[in-house]
Amino acid sequence: MQAKINTHLIEIFKTECGSVYQCDQTNHFILEYAGRVTAFKPINFIDFTKRVFAINLHDMASNTARHADIAILMPLYTETCFLLTMIDTIRLQRILGGAKTILHLHTLLRTNQLQFA
Amino acid sequence: MKDLLRLRTSLTEEIEALLNEQIKVEAYSSSIYLAMSSWCDRNGYDNSAGYLEKQSGEEREHMLKLFRYVNDLGGSAVSPEVTNIPQEFDSFKGVFEMALQQEIQVTSNFNRIADRCQKANDYVTFQFLQWFLKEQVEEEYVARRILELFDVIGEEGAGRWEIDKHIPKVSFGNAGE
Ligand SMILES: [Fe+2]
Ligand SMILES: [Fe+2]
């Protein structure tokens, strides 16, 4: 049976490690990372992005305690739990940061706020 | 493609964060005025204690005004955590010096937020802030007038008793009357 292609899915940003999609049918953002797919409501997507950027990379690198090697994130209203190493954190920051920039750019374009000097 | 972030709220992440910060500042103001009220009460300045308690209530109203606005626009207002409220003050006059400083800080915060709103083309919030900017003119005026009482009446003899009696009567409305 052929899988139904979801035409509501729009790619927002992609790196070699993962990607963010937007689903115009469910109004969700979908993060695909390390073979796992997580759907977020917009507000929770923003919250998750903030948390990923709040991870203290410097502390992860310099703190010798074993628990400091990993950051644990449990996004609101999702079933998933993220155990992030330093590399994971950097990769996720790239994906989420990129997605955020693209979304912001879309808003600017839509509202004609872009001005070219 | 839908603008999912815009569908949620017309507030940008930056403005929403600034408003939430200000919610916290107003909550802090409310708490510090309450601490001042308590200090005045236990030091025998009954009228000032009453005035400061009322002021504390007004600051809470300011906080709620911001709080409701953020939620009304689809944002997430954050119930603030308020810590480090001083409970002791140097002197009767010191209480009101601190009050004026707090109001000046609040005015500059609102100016900063208004500036960010203009830069972000958020004229809805800019408009909303006008009420607060006007309110701050009044708040600073009253705080300054109260401080002047310390010079005009003088703290010697029954001076502080006299000052305390006058504090609740200071208002922006009857300026110059
Ligand atoms: Fe206020
Ligand atoms: Fe105030």
Side-chain angles (χ1 to χ4, degrees):
Chain A
M1 199 179 92
Q2 203 186 1
K4 188 168 172 259
I5 295 163
N6 188 339
T7 50
H8 301 282
L9 226 49
I10 301 152
E11 183 185 297
I12 303 290
F13 191 75
K14 189 179 192 134
T15 70
E16 59 281 7
C17 303
S19 48
V20 171
Y21 294 87
Q22 157 170 340
C23 176
D24 271 2
Q25 192 169 46
T26 59
N27 288 358
H28 279 141
F29 288 110
I30 292 147
L31 169 70
E32 187 243 299
Y33 180 74
R36 237 177 8 176
V37 174
T38 316
F40 294 89
K41 271 167 71 173
I43 185 169
N44 300 326
F45 180 72
I46 293 167
D47 176 79
F48 181 67
T49 302
K50 275 188 198 155
R51 286 177 199 226
V52 170
F53 276 91
I55 294 172
N56 190 335
L57 287 170
H58 183 261
D59 188 59
M60 265 178 144
S62 60
N63 192 331
T64 50
R66 292 195 67 182
H67 67 82
D69 292 346
I70 268 194
I72 303 169
L73 288 186
M74 286 188 274
L76 300 167
Y77 310 109
T78 63
E79 309 268 286
T80 30
C81 171
F82 287 80
L83 296 174
L84 305 173
T85 62
M86 224 173 111
I87 299 290
D88 287 321
T89 306
I90 292 166
R91 285 175 176 163
L92 262 185
Q93 285 183 352
R94 276 196 60 207
I95 299 164
L96 295 169
K100 212 178 122 177
T101 305
I102 297 293
L103 289 169
H104 186 56
L105 212 58
H106 271 291
T107 303
L108 291 180
L109 284 170
R110 193 173 289 103
T111 53
N112 293 319
Q113 284 184 59
L114 269 193
Q115 281 165 15
F116 297 96
Chain B
M1 176 180 155
K2 294 183 190 170
D3 189 343
L4 294 185
L5 299 181
R6 180 66 178 81
L7 286 178
R8 177 181 84 89
T9 172
S10 54
L11 294 171
T12 64
E13 210 182 316
E14 185 206 5
I15 302 297
E16 185 178 340
L18 283 171
L19 292 173
N20 269 316
E21 255 173 60
Q22 193 54 32
I23 285 172
K24 197 168 176 160
V25 172
E26 297 292 339
Y28 181 86
S29 293
S30 178
S31 292
I32 202 170
Y33 274 122
L34 205 57
M36 289 168 172
S37 168
S38 177
W39 186 92
C40 285
D41 196 286
R42 63 182 181 270
N43 283 282
Y45 305 112
D46 274 0
N47 297 306
S48 300
Y51 164 79
L52 289 162
E53 188 190 307
K54 204 179 113 247
Q55 199 59 35
S56 168
E58 279 184 23
E59 298 301 346
R60 186 179 154 78
E61 280 308 312
H62 296 168
M63 178 196 84
L64 288 174
K65 210 176 166 92
L66 290 157
F67 193 88
R68 293 187 197 111
Y69 177 79
V70 172
N71 279 341
D72 285 350
L73 268 78
S76 319
V78 178
S79 177
E81 215 165 299
V82 184
T83 50
N84 288 322
I85 306 297
Q87 304 294 336
E88 293 301 330
F89 302 89
D90 293 340
S91 62
F92 188 30
K93 190 180 177 185
V95 164
F96 290 96
E97 276 170 348
M98 195 181 246
L100 176 58
Q101 267 169 24
Q102 178 67 15
E103 292 303 338
I104 291 171
Q105 180 62 49
V106 168
T107 306
S108 88
N109 283 359
F110 277 115
N111 274 328
R112 194 168 52 96
I113 303 172
D115 180 61
R116 294 310 309 164
C117 285
Q118 279 202 313
K119 296 208 165 95
N121 285 327
D122 184 351
Y123 290 97
V124 177
T125 304
F126 183 76
Q127 176 70 24
F128 167 74
L129 293 176
Q130 302 311 304
W131 183 89
F132 286 93
L133 290 167
K134 244 179 92 191
E135 173 76 8
Q136 280 314 116
V137 173
E138 193 174 323
E139 299 263 79
E140 277 197 37
Y141 172 89
V142 171
R144 271 198 199 92
R145 268 278 178 263
I146 287 176
L147 266 184
E148 277 162 13
L149 291 179
F150 285 82
D151 292 329
V152 173
I153 298 173
E155 293 189 62
E156 304 74 31
R160 293 201 193 95
W161 179 80
E162 193 70 31
I163 294 166
D164 181 54
K165 225 171 65 173
H166 275 84
I167 281 174
K169 293 180 203 152
V170 178
S171 75
F172 189 60
N174 54 30
E177 270 172 31

